[in-house]
Amino acid sequence: ERLVRRFDVRASRGAAINSRLRAAARSAYTGSSACGVTRSNVGGFHSGEELFWGAHPADPHWYTPIHELMLEALQLLHTPVELDALSISGWLNASPPHAHHQVHDHGESLYSAVYFADSGGAGSEAELGGETCSGQLLLITQPEAGVDRFEYVALPPEPSTLLLFAGGMPHAVLPRASQCGITGAAPDALALRVSVACNVSLMVE
C-alpha cells in the first residue's frame, strides 16, 4: 500500500487556486490574533477547522477549490457509494519562516491531506547557495508494528500539489531557514508558507 498519494494540479488551475489561497492567508495572518487557533502550530496562523460543503466554483469560501480537488482525488480511490459516506473538513495555514508544526496525527480520520499553495521561498539547496531551506512535511512511519524503530520521510512543500496519507500517521512541519524570509518586509510581502490541511472521515449516522 502506498505511503502517500500525490496529485499534481495543472499549471493554470493551480495558479488560480494558489492566488486565491495566498490572498486569504495574507488577510488571515495580519488578523490572526482575532481569529486564529493554536493546535500543533507554533507561530503562524491556523484557522479553525471547517466542514467543506457546496463545491460550486462561484462559492466565496476559501476552501471551495480545495473541496473540488479533494472530491476529484477521492473519486479515484473510492466508489460513488463509498464517497457519499465521507466528509471533508480542513483549515488554512500561513507560516512565516520560523513557524512550524509539532508532531501530531489526525486521530481516527481515514485520510489526512495537505495542499501546498506557496512554499514561502523554500527552494532547493542550489537556489540557496548550498543551504537547505526546509519547510518540509515530515512523515513518521513505523515499518514493523510493536518494534520501536521509526523511519522519517521528508516531503517538500511544492506548490500545486495535493498529498493524501493515513490519518493516524504522525507528522510534523519543519521550520524554514531564515533565508526564506524577507527581512523587514511589510505584512503583505511576507514570505508565508501557505497550505490547506484536511481530514477525510467516515460520517456517523
Side-chain angles (χ1 to χ4, degrees), residues 98-142:
H98 295 289
H100 61 282
H101 287 250
Q102 301 179 73
V103 176
H104 65 286
D105 61 45
H106 291 194
E108 297 181 356
S109 297
L110 182 62
Y111 301 110
S112 295
V114 61
Y115 176 83
F116 300 115
D118 197 319
S119 68
S124 67
E125 290 188 30
E127 292 171 335
L128 294 166
E131 298 292 331
T132 57
C133 199
S134 196
Q136 296 165 321
L137 170 66
L138 186 68
L139 303 182
I140 304 170
T141 68
Q142 188 174 18

Side-chain angles (χ1 to χ4, degrees), residues 4 104 113-114 116 134-139 153-157 163 165 171-174 193:
V4 180
H104 65 286
V114 61
F116 300 115
S134 196
Q136 296 165 321
L137 170 66
L138 186 68
L139 303 182
V153 179
L155 302 170
L163 303 178
F165 52 96
H171 56 283
V173 178
L174 302 177
R193 178 188 186 277

